[in-house]
Amino acid sequence: MEPRRLVVAAAIVDDVAAPSVLLAGRRTWPAELAGRWEFPGGKVDEGEDPVAALHRELAEELGVVAELGPEFTTPDGGAWPITPRHVMRLWLARVVSGEPAPIEVHDQLRWLPRGSWLDVPWLDGDVPIVEALVARFP
């Protein structure tokens, strides 16, 4: 079996220690994912450092520079399995430069207030992560 491909993403919030809002992006493609919501991020290129990949993806997708907080891992401390072919490492982050805009793969961004983080149709692989964030920051 081929190893899963690594993707990186950010849970962009207003405060990494006590978030009150979470940024979600609505996908435009591929067709089977269009209209579903996700964390901004993307694939790590061959030989690329995951943190560098995340900064690159946030600049390309949202036009922002973010300060990364702690990595948000699975309960066993690993990457999140999001599809049969992909695992995701996710960091809490806050924007330090720029205003998030839907530049590449999103047609809409939404700041979700705490208590409403599950109110959009997230990608299936992101749902357990959002649920864990809700449990961590009730």
Side-chain angles (χ1 to χ4, degrees):
M1 182 175 167
E2 188 175 316
R4 289 182 172 175
R5 176 125 191 233
L6 178 62
V7 297
V8 291
I12 298 179
V13 295
D14 56 334
D15 180 337
V16 298
S20 64
V21 293
L22 172 67
L23 185 70
R26 189 171 69 181
R27 298 253 345 170
T28 56
W29 62 273
E32 64 271 13
L33 302 180
R36 305 283 299 276
W37 295 78
E38 69 174 359
F39 296 104
K43 294 181 176 98
V44 177
D45 292 334
E46 179 97 17
E48 188 177 26
D49 174 77
V51 169
L54 181 54
H55 285 293
R56 175 184 53 75
E57 287 286 346
L58 294 176
E60 291 173 0
E61 284 189 10
L62 304 177
V64 299
V65 174
E67 175 182 74
L68 301 186
E71 185 171 358
F72 192 75
T73 61
T74 62
D76 68 357
W80 296 89
I82 56 169
T83 75
R85 295 183 358 226
H86 298 91
V87 295
M88 183 165 70
R89 291 181 63 188
L90 180 96
W91 282 264
L92 291 165
R94 93 183 160 80
V95 174
V96 293
S97 177
E99 184 65 35
I103 297 171
E104 270 197 353
V105 298
H106 304 112
D107 66 351
Q108 188 179 124
L109 300 177
R110 187 179 296 172
W111 287 103
L112 303 169
R114 190 172 50 234
S116 300
W117 291 355
L118 288 163
D119 288 0
V120 296
W122 290 90
L123 294 177
D124 293 344
D126 289 357
V127 170
I129 305 168
V130 179
E131 290 172 343
L133 285 166
V134 167
R136 171 70 178 85
F137 301 106

